[in-house]
Structures are given as structure tokens and as C-alpha cells.
Amino acid sequence: DGGITQSPKYLFRKEGQNVTLSCEQNLNHDAMYWYRQDPGQGLRLIYYSQIVNDFQKGDIAEGYSVSREKKESFPLTVTSAQKNPTAFYLCASSTNKYQPQHFGDGTRLSIL
Amino acid sequence: SQQGEEDPQALSIQEGENATMNCSYKTSINNLQWYRQNSGRGLVHLILIRSNEREKHSGRLRVTLDTSKKSSSLLITASRAADTASYFCATDAQAGNNRKLIWGLGTSLAVNP
């Protein structure tokens, strides 16, 4: 079955540590996205990529970094510069940026 | 208030009843999308309605769009306990030459057996 896989499901970060969240899709989608979801809030866009080797900042990119070396993969690194990283992180993909998005089941990141 | 603002924030109904959620927005849109999110899971796309459409159906779901009032509603008929989830609208908004998907805060629906 085609879909998006996010791993790990739960992640803990120590002070000063960078952590990387994995997102893999086998839907052959060109566009991929990273969102942050906080309790009681909607989704906020961190980064998006419309094509391999290209990505753009979203609304809250500070403290995060991404890469898009393969069509299937769009990992997100939460750097130590992100002072409030505790949140639910969702990865999504779509055929192109105008089409509905398919989501993974998220990674919940907490601080130790 | 935000673009793509849903109301009510929370809704509790009995199984078999209908549930109606509303979404208001501010700028012109290309389309409006509704998604469902079960607790602790990712979002699932339900329906996309284009700006030149007024109503769309998918199974027990009915979506309406009133561009003059800049609002949309999602109706779930004959609700089931499995419909318990949060529902989000997302507006594909046009801002100059840019298109942007703007998410609302969601409506939390509880369907009681």
C-alpha cells in the first residue's frame, strides 16, 4: 500500500541536541511538507519542497532545517536553536502544491 | 480571527444525529479542503470544493461553500462513534501571485454511542 511513513513515533531531545525526524513516501509525489501542531492550534508550516533538491521556508522555519536529496525522503532536523521544540510534527505529501495532501501519522517530540 | 476559522470549537452529539461544522475565511480562495484527524494520528483528506462550486457530497458528508459570505460548512449525516475526531478546514488562498494553504484551528467532534 502507498503511503507516508514517519519515524520515530516518539522522540526525546536533550538540551543542546539536534534531532532528525524521518519522513518517507512511496506515493511518487513531487511535493512534501513539514508541519508543527501544538495543542489547540492548527497546523503551522515549517518547510516545504516542490521538487527534489529544492525547498522553501514556511511560516515557522527558524530552528529547523530540511533536505530533499531523494523524491521519497524529506527529513526534518530540529536544531538546538529551536527553544520550544515540544510538539507533534506532521509530514505530508501531494502530487503538486495545488492538490490535497496525504499525511503521515506524526512524530511527538518532547524535551528531556 | 484567523483565516479558515472553524466553529464551533467543540461539538458533542449522540450517534445517529447530524453534525454541522462551519469554516469562515477572509481572502479570496481557489478551493477549500476539509480534513479529519483522529486522536494522535495524521490528517486525512475528506473533500475539496472549488471556488466555483456550491455544494459537494461524499457518502455521508456534504460540504457547502458560500463565497459571498466567505464561509463553508461540513455536514456529517447519521453520525457514528467512529466519526469522533477533529475536523479542519484549509483554504487554498490567493495572495497576489502567491497561493498558500491556510489551516483553521479545527472543530473537535465527539459522537456518543
Side-chain angles (χ1 to χ4, degrees):
Chain A
D1 280 342
I4 299 183
T5 302
Q6 290 188 242
S7 63
K9 192 168 178 66
Y10 300 96
L11 188 58
F12 297 92
R13 196 191 86 170
K14 294 179 182 178
E15 198 75 34
Q17 186 181 44
N18 293 352
V19 292
T20 298
L21 285 61
S22 170
C23 177
E24 303 278 331
Q25 55 100 359
N26 60 4
L27 298 166
N28 199 33
H29 285 169
D30 284 317
M32 296 187 75
Y33 315 82
W34 273 106
Y35 292 97
R36 171 180 172 139
Q37 187 177 32
D38 293 281
Q41 297 197 30
L43 276 65
R44 293 187 288 170
L45 183 65
I46 304 173
Y47 269 97
Y48 67 100
S49 168
Q50 295 185 59
I51 201 165
V52 175
N53 292 323
D54 182 61
F55 51 83
Q56 286 83 40
K57 293 181 179 180
D59 299 318
I60 55 165
E62 187 174 346
Y64 300 97
S65 66
V66 294
S67 62
R68 187 86 188 275
E69 297 175 2
K70 298 188 300 181
K71 187 175 186 177
E72 302 80 15
S73 180
F74 192 40
L76 173 74
T77 296
V78 184
T79 74
S80 57
Q82 173 49 247
K83 297 307 179 188
N84 183 24
T86 298
F88 189 50
Y89 290 87
L90 287 161
C91 179
S93 71
S94 60
T95 308
N96 58 57
K97 73 179 213 177
Y98 306 119
Q99 297 301 314
Q101 296 177 18
H102 297 249
F103 283 80
D105 272 341
T107 292
R108 193 166 297 278
L109 176 62
S110 303
I111 294 197
L112 277 179
Chain B
S1 58
Q2 297 186 29
Q3 174 94 341
E5 188 172 314
E6 293 97 332
D7 80 88
Q9 289 187 330
L11 183 60
S12 180
I13 60 174
Q14 296 299 122
E15 214 165 18
E17 294 180 340
N18 295 343
T20 300
M21 287 157 268
N22 303 297
C23 172
S24 60
Y25 58 92
K26 294 181 178 178
T27 65
S28 63
I29 62 170
N30 299 291
N31 63 66
L32 186 146
Q33 303 170 32
W34 284 94
Y35 289 78
R36 182 188 75 233
Q37 184 181 31
N38 290 87
S39 181
R41 304 292 297 274
L43 280 73
V44 174
H45 176 253
L46 297 175
I47 288 186
L48 181 151
I49 187 164
R50 302 186 196 288
S51 59
N52 61 353
E53 297 176 310
R54 292 296 167 258
E55 188 170 313
K56 227 169 167 178
H57 296 254
S58 177
R60 294 183 295 111
L61 306 181
R62 173 180 166 242
V63 168
T64 60
L65 179 65
D66 187 336
T67 52
S68 66
K69 294 182 180 177
K70 290 188 167 55
S71 69
S72 173
S73 67
L74 169 66
L75 169 67
I76 304 174
T77 60
S79 65
R80 306 166 181 167
D83 294 327
T84 295
S86 292
Y87 292 82
F88 293 87
C89 71
T91 50
D92 182 343
Q94 193 76 38
N97 292 326
N98 295 319
R99 282 176 73 164
K100 186 176 179 178
L101 196 64
I102 302 176
W103 295 86
L105 301 181
T107 292
S108 177
L109 173 66
V111 181
N112 304 303

